[in-house]
Amino acid sequence: MATTTFFITTPIYYVNDLPHIGHIFTTTAADTLARYHRLAGEEVRFLSGTDEHGQNIERAARREGITPLELADRVVSRYDELKETFGFSYDDFVRTTEERHERGVIEMIRRIDAAGDFYVATHEGWYCSPCETFYTEKELLPGKRCPVHVELGVEWKSEQNVFFRLSRYQQPLLDWYAAHPEAVRPSSRANEMRSFVEAGLRDLSVSRANLEWGIRFPGHAGQTVYVWLDALTNYVSALGLGSEPSPLYRRFWAEGTMRMHMIGKDILRFHAVYWPAFLMSAGLPLPTTVWAHGWWQRDGRKVSKSAGNIVRPDELVARFGADSLRYFLLREMVFGQDASFSDEAFVDRYNSDLAKDLGNTVKRVVTLSRTAFGGRTPFQTCTQNPLIAAAGQATAGYRKAMAELAFQQALKSLWKLLAETNQYLVSREPWNLIKSEGASDRLARILWNGLEAIRIVATGLLPFMPRVAPGILRAVAAPVPGSLDALAWGGTLCDAPLPEPTTIFPLIDKEAFMADVPLPAPPAVAVPASALPAGDAGDAGDPKAAPPPAASVPPASAAAAAAAVPATISIDRFMESELRVATIRAAEPVAKSKKLLKLTVDLGGESRTVVAGIALVYRPEELVGRQVVVVANLEPAKLMGVESHGMVLAASVDGAPVLLHPAAPVPDGTRVG
């Protein structure tokens, strides 16, 4: 019998942005699924990568005075770091600047051209540069704003392009949706795509004129391949389409059992309409499933660079481990729906689920077993007890949930077994039996059952927590399995050496932890992000002594802040503040400070140095070329030895600074107010 194949892909991430929580989440979910299917005995191919062409990359590189490839190389190095940090197990990482990818794009275009689905025409419409997409009037938000980058305006563009006859594939797409209910998941997203296609498809521009950074469109001088036709082809170019021989392409795509794309919902149309239409035209197999998950939000908005609410949980990972964050992300979000990220929610989930439910249970049962049986596992098994049925229900629920990508439910099933195990132990009080009976048969059966339940939970956690779960298995003297068969009851070894127990998840002092998180500025006052007192004392000493980056002095309480600052001011007093738009031309860390960045800003012919306390949220390289609002008429002040001529304005969301910026580009030096 042929081995089932499972091909899973992430989107290829755009290199105009450094990795953040959205990238981490999608890759974590795909990695978890890939690991699960490997344990299920399937032949897995897991692909990730980066999208490195397009107008946005070209512009960003030009602003920094480097080549687009240099910019891409710099960002890709961060994805290499992420793989190491989070233990991502992808088998391949494709870059659209690779020759193998260009060969695949050229082959895709050759096939579509042979089908007669290209023609040249003038293209006019409303264009969002970050999306690299044209939108209709109906799709735009009020004020001619992008429906994805809601704070950004669109621009009218007109040029001669190569078009793809997308309209020809309206009915074939509808037939595909009808014949394959699993083609687009969840079902709510499938309904959206069906409605979109039923409303009528317009032919799609698949080239851009006067763009240097990209793949040249064969047979059309001056035209570059549209970034989405370019980018989507990565899924087959990485397998070898266009490069002969291509056994991976044949194994995992042409003859593959499962071809799954895991994406965020904002790029669903490209994957569930454009991509299958391209494949139909090219005469190639379609994906079996396009799975669109929801967004991580902060302050009610999608986490994104353009929204200015990026979450990069480096500190959480450094302090509590990548597996703890992996667990939080997959336990907190109902896969397919939106979820909200906060440090407080992470601490609550960590303390409740990991430190108490899992960590304490492991330590308790291992300690009792070592005490009773001379540092070894109990000397006999148990085949009749209530935990056997509980484990059977938990593993059945776990398998069912994983088949449906219901990661949250899979984890809930495991934690239900943990809860029933604790209840079982409490009702039998093995700590008292040690005193009254010693190493009795009854005590051996009870503690063996506890170890066995933990072993099953840890086995189920292997795809979710690839570094911690093997450690838990070792803690209960169990081997790390290579198959889901290990979920069956009966695998704990008898009379095996038990290692000395350690604290797997140290409990977080929530009050102390949240005291370290910068406090939000009082609501009655807009406080600039750069207002830090000279000295930045917390960087060299007690972190609790460090002032929050979004406020000059942390208020003792909201009431005290309200009493100290007038609730209203006159318009004359407001106009004393000179707020101006500026573009950041350079950014670098301030020596010996974790929080401060030295910014060189252009105020319209005037260059200034402004020090801003935003380094915990923003990286210098992502700020260059960005417009911000500056308080331009403040007296100069020295911060950590650097003289600052102004303040950068920022809001405070969950204690983190969010830079304020105009919704559309305006001339540097423009006055605000």
Side-chain angles (χ1 to χ4, degrees):
M1 183 176 177
T3 304
T4 299
T5 63
F6 184 77
F7 181 48
I8 175 75
T9 72
T10 70
I12 52 171
Y13 302 117
Y14 209 27
V15 295
N16 71 328
D17 190 14
L18 293 169
H20 57 65
I21 197 71
H23 307 117
I24 292 170
F25 174 71
T26 307
T27 312
T28 296
D31 181 68
T32 300
L33 203 60
R35 290 175 178 276
Y36 176 82
H37 282 270
R38 291 190 190 107
L39 286 172
E42 299 175 28
E43 187 178 354
V44 173
R45 187 78 180 174
F46 176 19
L47 174 68
S48 190
T50 43
D51 178 6
E52 302 180 13
H53 289 140
Q55 187 179 65
N56 292 321
I57 309 303
E58 188 176 63
R59 288 176 175 175
R62 188 182 300 120
R63 283 196 298 267
E64 293 196 43
I66 60 177
T67 68
L69 187 58
E70 287 174 322
L71 175 63
D73 287 344
R74 186 171 67 194
V75 175
V76 168
S77 69
R78 295 301 306 279
Y79 283 99
D80 293 338
E81 293 171 12
L82 272 189
K83 181 181 184 183
E84 179 64 27
T85 299
F86 285 86
F88 294 143
S89 63
Y90 44 76
D91 303 287
D92 195 3
F93 189 92
V94 63
R95 299 179 60 176
T96 58
T97 48
E98 295 179 70
E99 286 186 16
R100 61 167 174 163
H101 174 69
E102 182 170 346
R103 289 194 296 268
V105 172
I106 299 304
E107 174 62 13
M108 179 70 75
I109 288 173
R110 186 193 67 78
R111 287 170 170 264
I112 295 174
D113 193 33
D117 283 334
F118 288 143
Y119 65 91
V120 176
T122 299
H123 192 197
E124 293 185 329
W126 294 106
Y127 185 74
C128 173
S129 182
C131 289
E132 303 217 14
T133 302
F134 283 90
Y135 291 101
T136 64
E137 290 270 3
K138 187 185 297 185
E139 292 171 321
L140 296 178
L141 298 176
K144 296 288 190 297
R145 289 178 293 122
C146 172
V148 176
H149 301 88
V150 297
E151 69 285 349
L152 298 181
V154 293
E155 57 181 318
W156 183 263
K157 292 190 73 171
S158 175
E159 61 184 35
Q160 281 258 316
N161 292 148
V162 179
F163 276 75
F164 170 69
R165 298 185 194 278
L166 181 63
S167 57
R168 178 180 287 180
Y169 294 93
Q170 179 169 331
Q171 192 56 49
L173 283 168
L174 293 173
D175 293 342
W176 179 53
Y177 300 150
H180 300 278
E182 76 288 353
V184 182
R185 301 283 309 277
S187 57
S188 59
R189 303 295 174 209
N191 294 335
E192 288 177 17
M193 292 301 98
R194 190 179 299 107
S195 297
F196 174 78
V197 174
E198 286 174 343
L201 293 179
R202 298 176 301 142
D203 290 349
L204 179 69
S205 169
V206 290
S207 75
R208 293 291 179 266
N210 304 314
L211 178 64
E212 294 296 320
W213 184 237
I215 297 172
R216 299 299 182 200
F217 204 108
H220 296 274
Q223 297 287 322
T224 299
V225 180
Y226 171 49
V227 69
W228 277 105
L229 174 56
D230 173 354
L232 290 164
T233 303
N234 92 90
Y235 301 128
V236 288
S237 69
L239 292 175
L241 181 74
S243 303
E244 294 296 338
S246 52
L248 288 175
Y249 172 79
R250 186 168 56 255
R251 180 75 175 138
F252 289 98
W253 194 271
E255 302 170 2
T257 312
M258 173 67 77
R259 302 175 293 274
M260 179 182 288
H261 301 314
M262 186 174 289
I263 60 169
K265 65 181 182 179
D266 51 326
I267 54 174
L268 179 59
R269 183 193 306 175
F270 305 100
H271 286 78
V273 179
Y274 301 165
W275 177 229
F278 293 154
L279 291 168
M280 288 176 182
S281 176
L284 300 176
L286 276 57
T288 50
T289 304
V290 177
W291 236 108
H293 63 71
W295 289 340
W296 279 97
Q297 297 184 332
R298 199 160 197 165
D299 195 29
R301 293 190 298 168
K302 175 196 173 188
V303 169
S304 71
K305 179 181 178 182
S306 57
N309 61 349
I310 291 293
V311 177
R312 291 195 178 92
D314 300 346
E315 187 175 353
L316 292 177
V317 172
R319 293 177 66 174
F320 309 114
D323 273 13
S324 298
L325 182 62
R326 285 177 64 120
Y327 175 85
F328 170 78
L329 294 176
L330 294 173
R331 178 61 180 83
E332 196 74 7
M333 175 185 271
V334 176
F335 201 70
Q337 300 180 19
D338 294 342
S340 181
F341 186 93
S342 74
D343 293 327
E344 184 173 9
F346 172 86
V347 172
D348 288 341
R349 180 69 66 190
Y350 175 99
N351 278 344
S352 173
D353 293 11
L354 299 181
K356 295 178 181 177
D357 294 345
L358 181 57
N360 283 356
T361 301
V362 173
K363 193 168 186 178
R364 171 194 286 181
V365 178
V366 169
T367 299
L368 289 171
S369 295
R370 281 177 53 83
T371 300
F373 303 106
R376 306 180 76 83
T377 60
F379 53 79
Q380 66 173 296
T381 63
C382 182
T383 57
Q384 288 187 329
N385 65 81
L387 287 184
I388 296 176
Q393 292 174 354
T395 55
Y398 170 84
R399 287 175 180 265
K400 181 175 184 293
M402 291 301 288
E404 298 172 352
L405 275 66
F407 301 114
Q408 184 186 61
Q409 292 302 319
L411 291 169
K412 281 184 177 180
S413 293
L414 298 179
W415 255 250
K416 184 177 180 183
L417 176 57
L418 271 180
E420 297 197 29
T421 301
N422 275 305
Q423 186 177 357
Y424 170 86
L425 294 170
V426 167
S427 67
R428 285 154 180 79
E429 299 182 330
W431 41 88
N432 289 331
L433 292 179
I434 291 176
K435 300 173 185 176
S436 62
E437 298 182 6
S440 66
D441 289 354
R442 178 165 65 151
L443 180 64
R445 289 192 297 270
I446 292 170
L447 292 179
W448 186 91
N449 290 335
L451 290 171
E452 174 65 357
I454 291 169
R455 185 194 65 80
I456 290 172
V457 169
T459 299
L461 283 175
L462 284 169
F464 292 87
M465 307 179 80
R467 289 180 175 144
V468 167
I472 295 174
L473 287 166
R474 288 190 290 270
V476 296
V480 178
S483 166
L484 290 177
D485 292 344
L487 290 171
W489 186 268
T492 292
L493 301 173
C494 291
D495 196 31
L498 275 172
E500 179 105 21
T502 59
T503 301
I504 306 170
F505 302 103
L507 196 68
I508 300 174
D509 183 331
K510 182 178 177 181
E511 185 177 350
F513 177 83
M514 296 309 294
D516 282 348
V517 176
L519 297 172
V525 189
V527 184
S530 60
L532 274 170
D536 201 13
D539 286 340
D542 180 4
K544 294 181 185 177
S552 56
V553 180
S557 67
V565 182
T568 60
I569 60 173
S570 68
I571 186 64
D572 291 338
R573 184 175 174 188
F574 170 76
M575 292 303 292
E576 291 176 5
S577 297
E578 185 180 324
L579 307 181
R580 295 193 179 276
V581 175
T583 296
I584 299 173
R585 299 301 181 191
E588 60 183 282
V590 172
K592 299 182 180 180
S593 173
K594 296 178 182 177
K595 303 177 180 66
L596 298 180
L597 291 180
K598 176 185 173 183
L599 309 177
T600 302
V601 301
D602 184 348
L603 279 163
E606 177 190 357
S607 180
R608 288 197 191 180
T609 296
V610 176
V611 178
I614 57 176
L616 294 180
V617 175
Y618 295 94
R619 298 184 184 278
E621 56 265 35
E622 71 181 276
L623 292 170
V624 176
R626 183 169 184 162
Q627 287 199 312
V628 291
V629 178
V630 173
V631 183
N633 62 336
L634 288 177
E635 293 182 0
K638 276 199 173 183
L639 303 177
M640 293 293 288
V642 179
E643 191 165 58
S644 178
H645 292 257
M647 290 183 179
V648 176
L649 288 185
S652 181
V653 180
D654 294 332
V658 177
L659 289 174
L660 304 185
H661 59 88
V666 299
D668 290 331
T670 300
R671 180 147 188 173
V672 178

